Amino acid sequence: MSTMPLCVGLFGGLDPDQWDEPASNAPVRRPDSWACVSASSATLPGIRVLVPAEATMRAWRMPAAFNSGLRRTLRSLDELSGEPEEDEYGPARPSLFAHAMATELLRSSAALIDPFPAGSACTDTAAGLRITWRKQNRQLRLVLPPTPEGRSYLYAQAGSQHQITDNLTYDSFAAWLQWVDRGSE
């Protein structure tokens, strides 16, 4: 995936034509004109995302940091960290290991797919994590242990068929997320 510079203006307050030249004498390439990403694509309230007008929207991808599905999944995960350590059912807060592993896996995999589907996180009885994605008859569950000694895996289900895979790489996880996001085709 190629990257390109973005101009982000808060509430329209930053004008790219008013930027100061860098301290060095290096030439600065500025596009002749800018195009604004549609409001439906700009998922952060009050923020405009501008791209060089010569870049076609088909060739340009919103960076993962702006992806609403990823943000909702990370918010679900972070909300668990604010829970009391335990409740009447057991651990309510994930272990630091499970939280860090989930965050890294989600962020790194989100760079590989667009759109990133929204998932919902919960803890298991040992302070591990389960993050679930559902669409139509498909379900994907990421299961992360509370410690490095535990087993990490993906559980995929479509109707009455299911599969468990221990192959948990950024690429394989991104492929499974795309699978669940397609729903029953």
Side-chain angles (χ1 to χ4, degrees):
M1 177 176 88
S2 64
T3 59
M4 66 184 328
L6 295 178
C7 163
V8 179
L10 298 173
F11 306 102
L14 295 177
D15 182 354
D17 293 329
Q18 296 175 358
W19 288 348
D20 293 330
E21 295 293 329
S24 72
N25 291 332
V28 176
R29 183 188 172 280
R30 292 189 182 166
D32 294 329
S33 61
W34 295 85
C36 187
V37 175
S38 71
S40 63
S41 298
T43 58
L44 299 174
I47 293 182
R48 287 187 312 155
V49 178
L50 301 176
V51 295
E54 66 265 15
T56 63
M57 292 310 288
R58 186 175 347 137
W60 182 79
R61 280 181 45 159
M62 180 75 74
F66 289 95
N67 189 310
S68 65
L70 174 62
R71 287 186 315 125
R72 288 198 314 243
T73 307
L74 289 172
R75 188 178 317 123
S76 173
L77 178 61
D78 288 343
E79 286 172 357
L80 291 174
S81 296
E83 292 291 321
E85 198 159 324
E86 289 193 13
D87 61 15
E88 63 271 13
Y89 303 107
R93 186 184 314 161
S95 71
L96 292 176
F97 172 80
H99 188 277
M101 187 174 177
T103 302
E104 171 64 24
L105 187 59
L106 293 168
R107 289 182 187 274
S108 296
S109 297
L112 302 175
I113 60 172
D114 184 29
F116 190 94
S120 177
C122 66
T123 56
D124 65 16
T125 59
L129 272 170
R130 294 175 188 267
I131 304 175
T132 303
W133 291 264
R134 288 186 177 95
K135 187 162 185 183
Q136 296 168 350
N137 74 330
R138 292 185 180 183
Q139 179 182 169
L140 180 67
R141 189 175 310 136
L142 170 64
V143 180
L144 300 172
T147 64
E149 294 78 29
R151 178 181 176 212
S152 301
Y153 63 93
L154 288 170
Y155 171 85
Q157 182 177 354
S160 61
Q161 298 179 330
H162 65 275
Q163 179 178 345
I164 294 175
T165 181
D166 294 309
N167 181 19
L168 198 52
T169 65
Y170 301 137
D171 291 331
S172 67
F173 181 52
W176 278 106
L177 286 170
Q178 289 176 317
W179 170 83
V180 78
D181 198 40
R182 285 193 307 265
S184 56
E185 298 177 326

